[in-house]
Amino acid sequence: MTFTRRVSSCFSQFLGFANRSFNSYKLPGDPSSSPSLTYGIHIFHCPDEVGIVAKLSERIASRGGNILGADVFVPQNKNVFYSRSEFVFDPVRWPRKQMDEDFLKLSNMFSAIRSVARVPALDPKFKIAVLASKQDHCLVDLLYGWQEGRLPVDITCVIRTYGKDVINIHHGLLPSFKGGNPCKQAFDAGVKLIGATSHFVTEELDSGPIIEQMVERVSHRDNLQSFVQKSENLEKQCLAKALRWYCELRVLPYEENRTVVF
């Protein structure tokens, strides 16, 4: 069993946290937002101890930054700490290079396993490659989303084999319906719930750490065409969401085959 530890309202005020939702801040580029403030993200993964949240907040505030939201996760009976913070800052008062140096000091202070800061308006977009096999509906959807500027990435190429982090999408009809044309098998069997799973790729097929899962109900009113269309739509949505979360530093590895998703 795990639990999520969140900063309480009074503790947040004590540390100088802004008690507001992320939606109340307009991202840079919005004509009604302040031109001097820039949006940043920081993720932190280290052994758990007292004072981590206080030091993170203090470091951001000391540079004139303002925290919009902070998400903290500490698994029960495990000496490990995860956090993801969203904040705004003035890049004149807190230059990007200085930000990395400040967070590096915190990383060394707490023997961090991972500490990453990202400023979407200043940092280059993630460069990614897309691997596709057989069906191309998810590939086409990603390329369209990239072309329209809806995904915070630059797709550089489409390839077949790769040796680092790979995010896969597959339908939610496994393991009951394997082999050729699983949608037809599931339709013929009269299933009432279909889904999709996005996950990291490992050597074991379709068994990597899960990032996101989505489901949708189907009924006797669906024909095979609408059944397949619903399944493919879920796959496209689930993959796009996983990719966006990965680029927004929301996904962290947890234990051997799990993830923390903020």
Side-chain angles (χ1 to χ4, degrees):
M1 174 180 289
T2 60
F3 70 98
T4 299
R5 185 174 72 192
R6 294 185 179 275
V7 184
S8 66
S9 176
C10 61
F11 188 50
S12 298
Q13 293 175 3
F14 174 74
L15 292 177
F17 277 49
N19 187 18
R20 61 177 72 107
S21 69
F22 169 63
N23 291 331
S24 66
Y25 173 71
K26 294 180 173 61
L27 291 176
D30 189 306
S32 63
S33 65
S34 171
S36 64
L37 294 181
T38 302
Y39 169 72
I41 310 166
H42 178 251
I43 60 170
F44 206 56
H45 175 198
C46 68
D48 189 31
E49 64 176 272
V50 174
I52 302 174
V53 173
K55 285 295 184 182
L56 286 170
S57 176
E58 180 184 34
R59 183 53 50 95
I60 294 173
S62 69
R63 297 296 185 182
N66 192 23
I67 295 178
L68 301 174
D71 209 348
V72 175
F73 173 64
V74 180
Q76 190 173 19
N77 300 323
K78 295 183 183 294
N79 185 40
V80 63
F81 172 95
Y82 296 87
S83 74
R84 180 181 184 273
S85 304
E86 297 179 347
F87 56 94
V88 289
F89 69 101
D90 183 346
V92 175
R93 295 183 59 185
W94 198 10
R96 186 67 182 84
K97 183 178 180 181
Q98 182 65 55
M99 179 185 294
D100 283 338
E101 293 175 358
D102 288 344
F103 284 129
L104 178 60
K105 291 177 183 177
L106 284 178
S107 180
N108 293 333
M109 180 186 300
F110 292 107
S111 301
I113 300 165
R114 189 179 186 192
S115 175
V116 180
R118 180 157 180 81
V119 182
L122 302 178
D123 297 346
K125 290 184 177 181
F126 285 100
K127 293 185 180 295
I128 69 167
V130 180
L131 285 79
S133 61
K134 296 184 179 179
Q135 295 175 315
D136 62 0
H137 57 285
C138 286
L139 172 62
V140 171
D141 185 69
L142 286 181
L143 292 175
Y144 180 75
W146 165 61
Q147 185 179 33
E148 292 293 303
R150 292 190 285 106
L151 295 175
V153 299
D154 277 332
I155 298 178
T156 58
C157 61
V158 177
I159 62 178
R160 291 304 168 206
T161 59
Y162 192 62
K164 294 188 178 180
D165 279 352
V166 178
I167 296 176
N168 182 45
I169 182 71
H170 66 71
H171 58 75
L173 306 175
L174 297 173
S176 300
F177 306 100
K178 297 182 179 180
N181 207 345
C183 278
K184 176 77 163 52
Q185 297 180 51
F187 177 77
D188 291 342
V191 302
K192 302 302 183 187
L193 201 65
I194 59 174
T197 297
S198 57
H199 63 94
F200 288 113
V201 173
T202 59
E203 292 183 1
E204 188 174 355
L205 183 64
D206 293 328
S207 298
I210 293 172
I211 302 172
E212 172 64 341
Q213 292 180 300
M214 300 177 68
V215 296
E216 181 174 345
R217 185 165 295 279
V218 292
S219 74
H220 60 278
R221 299 185 185 278
D222 284 289
N223 56 30
L224 180 58
Q225 182 179 0
S226 65
F227 187 98
V228 171
Q229 184 175 13
K230 287 182 178 180
S231 180
E232 291 184 349
N233 285 341
L234 279 179
E235 292 174 17
K236 292 186 290 186
Q237 296 170 37
C238 193
L239 177 59
K241 186 177 290 187
L243 180 59
R244 187 176 297 109
W245 286 352
Y246 183 83
C247 294
E248 292 176 351
L249 305 182
R250 296 182 182 275
V251 184
L252 294 171
Y254 172 45
E255 296 186 330
E256 185 175 349
N257 201 42
R258 301 173 66 186
T259 58
V260 172
V261 181
F262 286 125

